[in-house]
């Protein structure tokens, strides 16, 4: 390798390292991806640590964080709270204990939203059904909707 090529390779390497360092955040977990940092915030929070469901950030894109939750249109909230607290099994939806568990889940969701929105680069939150958690709880789900492509 001649001298010019060697110097060009070294200079390219230095520039690449500087570009990578310029886009990384310089706080707390300086060299971790932002999604890891957001998950650390959720995991280390003392209020959320006491709750039986672990909210997780799946995706961070353009200021929008996708958080998991244990219910949606496919899984009723009552089924999710019963999975978190087996003492609620067999109780009606209007039982005070079930209502209290539902209210607590909603407060925890709002709390998790508040934690994420307190971050300066987070503008919005969207929810995603936590299929893995539901599967671990033994709750059967229909397969995800498949997107059909056009024929060729």
């Amino acid at each position: 390798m001649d001298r010019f090529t060697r110097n060009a390779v070294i200079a390219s390497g230095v520039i690449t390292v500087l570009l990578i360092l310029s886009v990384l955040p310089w706080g707390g977990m300086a060299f971790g991806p932002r999604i890891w940092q957001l998950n650390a915030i959720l995991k280390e929070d003392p209020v959320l640590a006491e709750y039986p469901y672990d909210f997780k950030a799946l995706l961070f894109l353009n200021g929008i964080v996708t958080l998991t939750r244990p219910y949606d249109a496919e899984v009723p909230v009552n089924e999710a709270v019963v999975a978190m607290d087996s003492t609620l099994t067999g109780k009606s939806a209007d039982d005070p204990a079930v209502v209290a568990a539902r209210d607590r889940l909603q407060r925890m969701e709002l709390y998790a939203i508040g934690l994420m929105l307190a971050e300066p680069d987070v503008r919005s939150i969207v929810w995603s059904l936590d299929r893995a958690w539901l599967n671990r709880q033994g709750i059967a789900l229909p397969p995800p909707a498949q997107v059909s492509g056009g024929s060729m």
Side-chain angles (χ1 to χ4, degrees), residues 103-134:
D103 290 346
R104 184 174 180 216
L105 172 58
Q106 291 172 345
R107 283 193 312 275
M108 291 299 109
E109 287 177 336
L110 290 173
Y111 187 83
I113 289 171
L115 282 176
M116 294 295 98
L117 291 177
E119 294 298 304
D121 55 346
V122 175
R123 293 183 331 222
S124 182
I125 307 297
V126 294
W127 292 107
S128 176
L129 180 62
D130 193 341
R131 292 176 154 296
W133 183 85
L134 292 165

Side-chain angles (χ1 to χ4, degrees), residues 17-152:
V17 168
L18 291 174
L19 284 173
I20 290 171
L21 291 176
S22 72
V23 297
L24 293 174
W26 288 100
M29 294 173 53
F31 294 106
R34 186 63 173 133
I35 197 73
W36 293 355
Q37 296 168 354
L38 295 173
N39 275 313
I41 291 167
L42 292 168
K43 186 175 183 163
E44 295 167 3
D45 184 80
V47 174
L48 291 179
E50 296 294 319
Y51 195 65
Y53 177 76
D54 294 326
F55 294 96
K56 291 183 178 60
L58 297 177
L59 182 66
F60 178 66
L61 186 62
N62 295 327
I64 302 170
V65 177
T66 302
L67 292 178
T68 61
R69 73 175 174 189
Y71 71 94
D72 71 355
E74 294 179 62
V75 179
V77 67
N78 288 348
E79 196 169 347
V81 295
V82 168
M84 284 185 255
D85 182 358
S86 62
T87 64
L88 302 176
T89 303
K91 294 188 178 183
S92 69
D94 58 349
D95 184 281
V98 174
V99 172
R102 243 186 354 249
D103 290 346
R104 184 174 180 216
L105 172 58
Q106 291 172 345
R107 283 193 312 275
M108 291 299 109
E109 287 177 336
L110 290 173
Y111 187 83
I113 289 171
L115 282 176
M116 294 295 98
L117 291 177
E119 294 298 304
D121 55 346
V122 175
R123 293 183 331 222
S124 182
I125 307 297
V126 294
W127 292 107
S128 176
L129 180 62
D130 193 341
R131 292 176 154 296
W133 183 85
L134 292 165
N135 187 37
R136 286 191 305 272
Q137 306 309 311
I139 298 173
L141 293 169
Q146 299 206 351
V147 178
S148 61
S151 61
M152 294 193 180

